[in-house]
Amino acid sequence: MIELQHINKVYHSNTGDLQALTDINLSIGEGEIFGIIGLSGAGKSTLVRCINMLETPTSGTVLVDGQDMTKMSPSQLRKARQNIGMIFQHFNLLSSRTVYGNIAFPLEIQGKSGDEIKKKVDSLLELVGLTDRRDHYPSQLSGGQKQRVGIARALASDPKVLLCDEATSALDPQTTESILELLRDINKRLNITIVMITHQMNVVKEICDHVAVIEAGRIIEEGSLYEVFTNPKNPTTKEFVASTRTDIVPDLVKQMSLHKPYKPGDKALVRLHFLGDSAGEPVIAVLIKKYNVDVNILSGNVETLQNIPYGTLLIGMDADEQHMKDAMDYLRSLSLQIEVIGYVS
């Protein structure tokens, strides 16, 4: 559906050149929800604006639904953009128009008849749950309602792609959840391809099928949500993933003087990551009964990522040297990931 091939973007100014994007290569499948995550200034907004050519790449190719956007004339671009909707962090609604008028605006520009506009706007108001707000103005709406208007307006032209540039960043957590639920519903109902630009890993975790991490204008990691979340490789990706964890190290543990490597008599602090079927294995019971290890459960969580179980467990382990070695060998033999945080004497 969307192919970005060797995209570079350089901004020229009197003070020098700024390389905003460097050799970006991404493939986004039809009907996917694809997340692009990065810190402020990483280049993610520039990247998403290259997809609909609001920013013209310095070099490279942008293919959307088989069409090369970089080779189009201005009139061809205007027509192609009707297949690419976009929603923004700050909504960008027309304050002088009602909810109905804002959604109708792109249809009016296309020269649709009044009956066509009414039929389309009424269906979109129902889709986003704003039928009772049709005659309200933006100043009379909550942030979540404003974003729902923005989503409906973006869908007015029946686009095949929906670009979301920090669409939930200005919203509280509860409203964010409702907007993400709406986007999931739209994705399933319309099979529309959604590209989510965000700096919030919780948003990616909640809704995306695939994710790419961008840093300093480069893609540093990419893969399915499950792959990236359960086995992050880049330090920046690991920080994003850690921000969503609920298995926080207790303050009491943080105050301990942890060290590596293991010394006889040490207690181990270990984080276990249970992937897929391993989430149901009786690991703790085996450690206690078979290996004579005292286990202290400090924190833990089980959830699903893309309908696959994923669990984390933070434990303290205490045993003599041989039993500790045997227990560690047992853990490493399982289909789970082991992270030894450190040892305490």
Side-chain angles (χ1 to χ4, degrees):
M1 166 55 75
I2 301 173
E3 293 282 344
L4 303 179
Q5 302 172 354
H6 304 292
I7 297 297
N8 291 278
K9 176 64 180 179
V10 180
Y11 290 105
H12 302 287
S13 70
N14 293 333
T15 57
D17 294 345
L18 173 63
Q19 183 85 30
L21 298 174
T22 303
D23 197 29
I24 300 292
N25 293 278
L26 287 177
S27 179
I28 301 172
E30 182 178 0
E32 274 191 337
I33 303 180
F34 194 101
I36 300 174
I37 186 168
L39 299 173
S40 296
K44 55 189 184 296
S45 291
T46 300
L47 176 56
V48 78
R49 290 168 68 88
C50 283
I51 294 176
N52 60 4
M53 297 295 289
L54 290 178
E55 292 284 357
T56 303
T58 305
S59 62
T61 302
V62 178
L63 298 173
V64 179
D65 199 22
Q67 295 183 300
D68 188 346
M69 304 284 286
T70 60
K71 294 183 179 179
M72 291 183 177
S73 65
S75 61
Q76 289 173 324
L77 263 180
R78 283 193 294 271
K79 185 175 180 180
R81 284 185 183 130
Q82 293 179 15
N83 285 322
I84 307 174
M86 190 166 187
I87 58 176
F88 307 88
Q89 178 179 356
H90 298 296
F91 322 124
N92 290 6
L93 302 182
L94 300 171
S95 60
S96 61
R97 280 181 168 247
T98 63
V99 168
Y100 184 99
N102 268 279
I103 300 172
F105 186 64
L107 298 171
E108 294 171 2
I109 293 176
Q110 294 172 30
K112 301 292 185 182
S113 69
D115 288 343
E116 288 177 303
I117 292 174
K118 183 179 185 304
K119 182 179 179 181
K120 187 64 178 177
V121 174
D122 285 346
S123 69
L124 288 170
L125 284 170
E126 184 176 355
L127 177 66
V128 301
L130 289 178
T131 300
D132 61 339
R133 295 289 189 272
R134 58 175 289 144
D135 297 322
H136 286 59
Y137 287 89
S139 61
Q140 299 171 301
L141 304 177
S142 67
Q145 290 169 339
K146 290 176 183 178
Q147 194 57 282
R148 286 172 182 267
V149 177
I151 292 170
R153 181 182 58 187
L155 296 175
S157 301
D158 295 318
K160 296 180 180 179
V161 175
L162 181 61
L163 306 179
C164 306
D165 190 3
E166 296 281 12
T168 61
S169 294
L171 306 175
D172 62 75
Q174 186 174 356
T175 305
T176 292
E177 175 58 35
S178 71
I179 293 298
L180 295 179
E181 186 176 344
L182 174 61
L183 290 173
R184 275 196 300 267
D185 182 53
I186 289 169
N187 171 254
K188 290 177 181 177
R189 285 198 198 188
L190 307 180
N191 194 39
I192 189 170
T193 303
I194 298 178
V195 181
M196 295 286 300
I197 297 296
T198 183
H199 65 275
Q200 300 168 305
M201 193 64 180
N202 275 319
V203 170
V204 171
K205 176 183 171 184
E206 188 72 24
I207 194 174
C208 295
D209 302 308
H210 283 76
V211 58
V213 184
I214 187 170
E215 184 175 59
R218 298 177 182 271
I219 300 298
I220 58 173
E221 194 158 348
E222 180 194 355
S224 73
L225 173 67
Y226 193 81
E227 292 168 346
V228 172
F229 196 89
T230 61
N231 190 27
K233 295 179 174 60
N234 187 277
T236 298
T237 310
K238 291 179 180 179
E239 288 182 15
F240 277 124
V241 171
S243 70
T244 69
R245 281 181 176 157
T246 57
D247 58 329
I248 304 301
V249 177
D251 289 338
L252 179 63
V253 175
K254 291 179 182 178
Q255 295 169 11
M256 294 180 178
S257 180
L258 296 172
H259 59 262
K260 290 182 181 180
Y262 173 80
K263 294 182 292 186
D266 279 353
K267 298 178 182 180
L269 182 64
V270 181
R271 181 181 280 118
L272 307 178
H273 300 270
F274 298 84
L275 312 177
D277 293 338
S278 69
E281 294 184 12
V283 174
I284 302 302
V286 173
L287 287 174
I288 295 172
K289 293 179 179 179
K290 185 175 180 179
Y291 295 99
N292 198 30
V293 175
D294 290 333
V295 178
N296 183 19
I297 298 176
L298 301 172
S299 63
N301 184 52
V302 178
E303 56 191 320
T304 57
L305 297 170
Q306 296 181 310
N307 297 318
I308 303 173
Y310 172 66
T312 56
L313 194 63
L314 185 64
I315 63 173
M317 296 172 55
D318 187 12
D320 60 50
E321 185 173 2
Q322 187 58 51
H323 282 108
M324 183 72 81
K325 179 182 182 304
D326 293 342
M328 286 296 187
D329 289 343
Y330 160 69
L331 291 175
R332 294 188 178 98
S333 72
L334 301 175
S335 56
L336 49 79
Q337 295 174 4
I338 304 168
E339 180 185 354
V340 178
I341 296 175
Y343 300 93
V344 61
S345 300

